[in-house]
């Protein structure tokens, strides 16, 4: 029987996906990635879910990276397959039209930080340590780290982290723009739920289009990015949520968005 390494819990409009392999500090092997992909698809398909928290079990790590034991004897072609599995799993986060936040309590290293970088926001605790230490193993980031980190914090700061393999603390990660907020350990989940709760109250289709517009548009030239935004803006004018949101404003009442 396969072990369960990823759990899915729903509380109202918020789903929490937990990577639960604490013995290996939640390291990502192909099985864990497969289960994570299934949980992400479940969150995407569930119409009640308006936000997702991604976290790690055990109190010591979010995810300490791709599983080194699985990689040690991998030939290049299997290394490529592994990278493709990791990349496609992380892509599910970027493509999901709902906010996904990473709740980091402890280590987020290598593939673990790469996983967080695919999320929409990252919240961490004072004991968290983050980095891309792949070069210390004689490899490099393979789940999108060189690309997403350089786009997020700029090329040279990303090079400093990637070339040295240094781990930084949460305050430094916040100063670099990797982490949005550092909160005490016992407040981490409540903080993520509060942020997602605020987002769950606004128009879900609109949030999905905002996410798509930022994710797709930011890597384009400005005029192309503006065109992505313009088409997304137009698409919202055919939604019931737009009618409801505007009517509610004019009638001075709270909007009841259905996500349609
Ligand atoms: N893969 C597999 N097992 C891992 C792991 C990983 N990435 N990280 C930790 N573990 C395992 C350890 O082997 C250890 O197992 P045993 O108890 O069976 O020996 C267990 O988790 C606990 O780890 P430590 O004893 O090392 O704990 P520590 O507190 O001394 O150190 C740590 C914690 C600094 C996070 C250290 O475990 C560490 O450096 N881990 C590796 C981090 C790393 O290099 N990550 C990048 C992986 S490569 C990658 O991610 C490629 C990619 O981009 C796709």
């Amino acid at each position: 029987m396969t072990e369960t390494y990823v759990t899915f819990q729903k509380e109202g409009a918020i789903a929490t996906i937990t990577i639960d392999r604490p013995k290996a500090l939640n390291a990502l092997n192909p099985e864990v990635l497969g289960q994570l992909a299934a949980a992400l698809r479940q969150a995407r398909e569930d119409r009640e879910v308006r936000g997702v928290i991604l976290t790690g079990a055990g109190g010591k790590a979010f995810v300490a990276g791709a599983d080194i034991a699985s990689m040690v004897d991998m030939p290049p072609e299997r290394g490529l397959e592994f990278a493709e599995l990791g990349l496609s799993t992380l892509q599910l986060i970027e493509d999901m039209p709902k906010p996904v936040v990473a709740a980091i309590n402890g280590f987020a290293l290598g593939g673990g930080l790469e996983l967080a970088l695919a999320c929409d926001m990252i919240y961490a605790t004072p004991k968290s340590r983050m980095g891309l230490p792949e070069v210390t193993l004689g490899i490099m980031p393979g789940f999108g780290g060189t690309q997403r980190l350089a786009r997020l914090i700029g090329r040279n700061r990303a090079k400093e982290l990637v070339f040295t393999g240094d781990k930084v603390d949460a305050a430094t990660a916040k100063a670099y723009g990797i982490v949005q907020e550092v909160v005490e350990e016992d407040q981490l989940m409540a903080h993520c739920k509060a942020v997602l709760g605020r987002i769950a109250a606004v128009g879900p289709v609109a949030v999905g289009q905002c996410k798509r517009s930022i994710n797709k548009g930011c890597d384009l030239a400005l005029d192309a990015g503006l065109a992505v935004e313009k088409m997304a803006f137009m698409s919202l004018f055919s939604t019931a949520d737009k009618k409801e949101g505007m009517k509610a404003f004019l009638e001075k009442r709270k909007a009841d968005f259905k996500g349609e």
Side-chain angles (χ1 to χ4, degrees):
M1 216 180 78
T2 29
E3 273 196 62
T4 300
Y5 294 127
V6 176
T7 63
F8 181 97
Q9 281 174 313
K10 214 167 84 171
E11 197 184 323
I14 298 169
T16 301
I17 296 176
T18 305
I19 300 173
D20 189 1
R21 197 189 169 214
K23 272 194 282 189
L25 302 186
N26 304 323
L28 304 171
N29 63 20
E31 258 186 300
V32 178
L33 286 168
Q35 292 184 21
L36 176 59
L40 290 166
R41 288 194 183 96
Q42 187 177 346
R44 185 188 61 199
E45 298 310 322
D46 189 328
R47 285 180 53 83
E48 280 174 17
V49 171
R50 293 193 179 179
V52 180
I53 302 172
L54 195 55
T55 195
K60 191 168 166 187
F62 172 70
V63 168
D67 189 280
I68 299 166
S70 317
M71 290 186 290
V72 62
D73 292 322
M74 263 185 198
E77 61 280 8
R78 290 222 18 248
L80 176 63
E81 277 170 26
F82 188 49
E84 284 170 346
L85 177 63
L87 288 168
S88 62
T89 305
L90 272 51
Q91 195 62 41
L92 291 170
I93 298 172
E94 280 203 346
D95 291 345
M96 190 181 323
K98 304 177 183 189
V100 182
V101 305
I104 295 181
N105 185 23
F107 293 108
L109 301 174
L113 180 57
E114 293 173 295
L115 177 61
L117 290 169
C119 294
D120 301 305
M121 279 88 76
I122 302 180
Y123 300 108
T125 60
K127 77 172 189 196
S128 301
R129 311 253 312 151
M130 276 157 248
L132 293 173
E134 284 88 342
V135 290
T136 67
L137 300 167
I139 58 165
M140 63 178 282
F143 290 173
T146 61
Q147 302 307 301
R148 289 198 176 96
L149 189 64
R151 281 167 171 74
L152 185 66
I153 66 173
R155 290 180 191 210
N156 291 10
R157 187 62 89 185
K159 284 176 183 166
E160 186 179 57
L161 282 175
V162 172
F163 295 178
T164 59
D166 282 350
K167 302 176 187 62
V168 295
D169 62 19
T172 307
K174 185 178 175 200
Y176 287 177
I178 298 174
V179 161
Q180 274 57 70
E181 223 51 73
V182 182
V183 295
E184 290 304 321
E185 192 171 349
D186 60 358
Q187 290 302 309
L188 179 64
M189 295 310 281
H191 180 80
C192 293
K193 284 176 188 169
V195 173
L196 289 178
R198 293 209 307 279
I199 299 171
V202 301
V205 187
V207 171
Q209 287 293 356
C210 291
K211 175 169 172 172
R212 185 175 169 278
S213 191
I214 293 172
N215 282 353
K216 297 279 179 223
C218 273
D219 292 334
L220 304 175
L222 181 62
D223 55 354
L226 292 172
V228 169
E229 186 191 80
K230 180 177 68 181
M231 297 313 284
F233 180 76
M234 180 192 72
S235 75
L236 294 171
F237 279 65
S238 64
T239 63
D241 280 357
K242 172 247 181 189
K243 262 246 138 55
E244 167 62 12
M246 293 192 179
K247 271 176 68 186
F249 175 82
L250 295 172
E251 291 164 10
K252 302 191 187 308
R253 62 173 173 83
K254 197 169 167 294
D256 178 18
F257 293 111
K258 303 280 191 229
E260 290 163 3

